[in-house]
Amino acid sequence: MILVTGGSGFIGSHTVRALHEMGEKCILFQRRTGELPAQLAALPVAVAQGDVTDLASLLDVGTHHKVTGIVHLAGSMPWPPTSEPPVDATRKALGGLLNIVQAAQNWGVKRVGVASTIGVYSGVASEGALREDMPLPMSAPHLIPTFKKIGELLNEHLSGATGIELINYRISGTWGPGGHDDPFFPAPALIHAAVRGTKPELSRLVIPAYAGNALDLCYVRDTGRAIALLQLAERLNYRTYNVASGRATTNAEVVAAIKTVVPDAQLELPTGKPPPHNYLDISRLQQDTGYQPAYDTQRAAEDYIAWLRAGNAR
């Protein structure tokens, strides 16, 4: 049975579904409720309520279930910012990761997957493919990649010290059913605005949305399947994997795909001067798991719009 923290969330729920489709049972470990989330109600999934920052509640799961693997997708950094003192918030964030490793050690779990982010590559002076073995700068432009870099370093140490396979998932920009407006790229806001028949609200983006801007954009169903494959692979040759589409997708491509389904969508973006296009190299992921993305931009837009039009959350 695979314990999934953050399993009721956006990427987590798709990961749980993918694990189920591969024949694996899951237990969700979630903070707010002990009820199974609606999007997973049809699956035979167990739920345990608790907080990864509370070691006792986490270890209690092992008294009721035989946990054979852990996928740790719950937030492990003080984001979004709170009124909690920064030292306390940092201690709690790092403590959650340490508790996961402690639980794995207590339960005899051999492999723990931990969510990282494409953001760790910020500042790498390279155009084209971003590979897992590239040196990363010590600084980061945002709190999320800051803590993910710290987590990756801790995982490297703890993996060697404990003998547990701690696998980092460097997850690219992800969109799809159950998602929400993202501060780093406009695709979800564009989709939701098209379905609502309104202009997209893009003022909260960290980087202005120009038509030529590009990102390795991965559809969430592919993201969840990639994580499931990494968790269940018989053998992994590395500790860090890019979880992505393996290509750069421009905002203009996203707009064009949406307009094939919603021709009158009000999605005009300024041209501007696009920065260099990067994408995540997924050779490791493909070689060790056989993963291939199933959704290109067109299929992803069609599926996402159909999901929204079926009356799901907007």
Side-chain angles (χ1 to χ4, degrees):
M1 178 172 276
I2 307 299
L3 177 73
V4 184
T5 72
S8 59
F10 174 38
I11 292 175
S13 61
H14 287 275
T15 300
V16 169
R17 187 171 296 278
L19 285 166
H20 167 74
E21 290 171 355
M22 295 177 193
E24 189 66 44
K25 294 181 179 180
C26 294
I27 176 169
L28 306 187
F29 188 67
Q30 52 192 31
R31 185 174 65 252
R32 294 184 179 87
T33 176
E35 298 296 322
L36 190 64
Q39 68 269 29
L40 297 174
L43 302 184
V45 178
V47 179
Q49 187 173 5
D51 194 314
V52 295
T53 64
D54 177 8
L55 181 60
S57 70
L58 181 59
L59 292 178
D60 185 60
V61 176
T63 66
H64 304 285
H65 303 276
K66 175 60 178 175
V67 179
T68 57
I70 300 175
V71 174
H72 181 37
L73 302 177
S76 57
M77 77 291 292
W79 179 263
T82 67
S83 58
E84 192 171 18
V87 172
D88 292 344
T90 300
R91 182 180 293 112
K92 183 181 292 185
L94 297 181
L97 175 59
L98 296 176
N99 286 346
I100 288 292
V101 178
Q102 180 68 67
Q105 200 169 26
N106 286 19
W107 300 333
V109 167
K110 301 299 184 183
R111 181 179 295 163
V112 177
V114 182
S116 187
T117 174
I118 186 176
V120 300
Y121 290 107
S122 297
V124 173
S126 174
E127 182 171 5
L130 297 171
R131 303 184 311 275
E132 296 94 336
D133 59 358
M134 284 180 164
L136 302 179
M138 288 295 290
S139 60
H142 190 276
L143 198 62
I144 292 176
T146 296
F147 273 79
K148 294 304 185 183
K149 286 184 178 184
I150 293 169
E152 287 194 15
L153 287 169
L154 283 174
N155 290 342
E156 180 70 20
H157 161 67
L158 290 168
S159 190
T162 64
I164 299 169
E165 272 192 303
L166 288 162
I167 307 299
N168 304 305
Y169 312 138
R170 290 182 180 168
I171 301 172
S172 69
T174 303
W175 65 322
H180 48 75
D181 289 359
D182 194 286
F184 301 107
F185 60 95
L190 296 173
I191 284 275
H192 285 244
V195 173
R196 290 193 303 262
T198 62
K199 290 184 177 181
E201 171 51 61
L202 303 176
S203 63
R204 293 187 293 274
L205 288 172
V206 174
I207 300 172
Y210 292 105
N213 287 9
L215 178 71
D216 189 316
L217 198 59
C218 193
Y219 200 54
V220 70
R221 300 191 197 278
D222 280 336
T223 303
R225 184 165 52 86
I227 292 172
L229 286 168
L230 284 167
Q231 178 59 41
L232 299 182
E234 182 176 346
R235 175 183 172 84
L236 294 177
N237 293 303
Y238 305 95
R239 288 190 180 146
T240 300
Y241 290 83
N242 289 332
V243 175
S245 69
R247 67 181 188 277
T249 300
T250 66
N251 292 334
E253 284 183 73
V254 174
V255 169
I258 293 171
K259 286 194 170 185
T260 64
V261 186
V262 189
D264 59 348
Q266 306 171 61
L267 304 178
E268 290 69 27
L269 296 177
T271 53
K273 183 180 180 181
H277 290 179
N278 294 117
Y279 61 92
L280 301 190
D281 184 293
I282 57 173
S283 300
R284 284 185 178 184
L285 176 62
Q286 292 173 314
Q287 291 166 4
D288 283 5
T289 71
Y291 166 82
Q292 291 292 340
Y295 289 83
D296 60 13
T297 308
Q298 185 63 51
R299 186 185 180 197
E302 291 170 355
D303 184 77
Y304 198 175
I305 290 169
W307 183 83
L308 288 169
R309 284 178 168 173
N312 293 293
R314 298 186 183 183

